[in-house]
Amino acid sequence: SYPGSFRGAAFSRLLQDSSEPEVRNRAWFYLGKVRYQRSLYPEALQAFERISGALPASLDAELPMLRAQAYLALGRFDAAVALLDGWRGPESWIAYARYNLGVALVRLDRPDDAIRQLDQLGRSAADTAELRDLRDKSNLALGYLYLQQGRDSEARPVLARVRLNGPFSAKALLGAGWADAAVQDYR
């Protein structure tokens, strides 16, 4: 059970009382998700490991993303890469998988692989506000990766792809300024 939580106690009762695998699997999923949201990453992964069998399609698609993000939070970048590299989930989750994979590859000091993931996402079409934000976040990560590598002239156009009216515009403008200064373009 999850100490001090009515939800945790309710999940525990559900897990003990239910003989239906589908109900137990959904309960383990939601218990893991609550633990993940509370930054209890090892406990979240333990709950996810208790899932045995099928989940509803929407939960089955979300599960690898939650596991990967927990691995990233714990610094287990190799586990995140192993989970996400080549993952073929629903189209609605592919962008998240690509971003998380790119971040894990950066952390594993595999910049060329990370650049491929982040650049592909950074150039992708985005038909929702959430995907536009993720695309901007990817371009920001890629731009800063280029800056860290001293590839300032390559960073500038990538950072320019970040929308000016989005939540990442200030960081993108700062990075673009650094890129311009590094190549002595002070206009």
Side-chain angles (χ1 to χ4, degrees), residues 18 28 105 143 175:
S18 178
W28 281 119
L105 291 166

Side-chain angles (χ1 to χ4, degrees), residues 55-159:
L55 284 169
S58 63
L59 303 184
D60 193 49
E62 187 177 5
L63 180 60
M65 296 306 107
L66 290 169
R67 287 179 58 211
Q69 289 173 322
Y71 289 142
L72 289 171
L74 292 170
R76 294 179 55 193
F77 308 117
D78 54 342
V81 168
L83 179 64
L84 296 173
D85 195 20
W87 180 72
R88 301 287 177 246
E91 190 64 34
S92 59
W93 287 99
I94 294 294
Y96 297 98
R98 188 173 305 286
Y99 177 77
N100 288 326
L101 179 57
V103 169
L105 291 166
V106 167
R107 302 292 184 158
L108 288 172
D109 198 26
R110 292 175 49 190
D112 293 337
D113 295 329
I115 288 167
R116 277 191 292 283
Q117 296 298 322
L118 295 171
D119 190 49
Q120 187 171 356
L121 180 56
R123 294 176 185 273
S124 66
D127 56 359
T128 67
E130 189 175 6
L131 288 177
R132 285 188 290 275
D133 286 349
L134 190 58
R135 181 182 60 198
D136 285 350
K137 196 173 177 181
S138 182
N139 282 319
L140 185 65
L142 180 57
Y144 274 78
L145 176 59
Y146 281 146
L147 287 171
Q148 289 172 351
Q149 292 181 329
R151 297 166 64 177
D152 306 305
S153 60
E154 293 175 80
R156 182 64 168 93
V158 170
L159 292 165

Side-chain angles (χ1 to χ4, degrees), residues 16-36:
Q16 291 170 5
D17 297 343
S18 178
S19 62
E20 296 180 41
E22 180 183 319
V23 173
R24 276 197 315 275
N25 286 339
R26 287 177 44 193
W28 281 119
F29 173 85
Y30 283 114
L31 182 58
K33 186 172 180 176
V34 167
R35 289 173 174 175
Y36 169 81

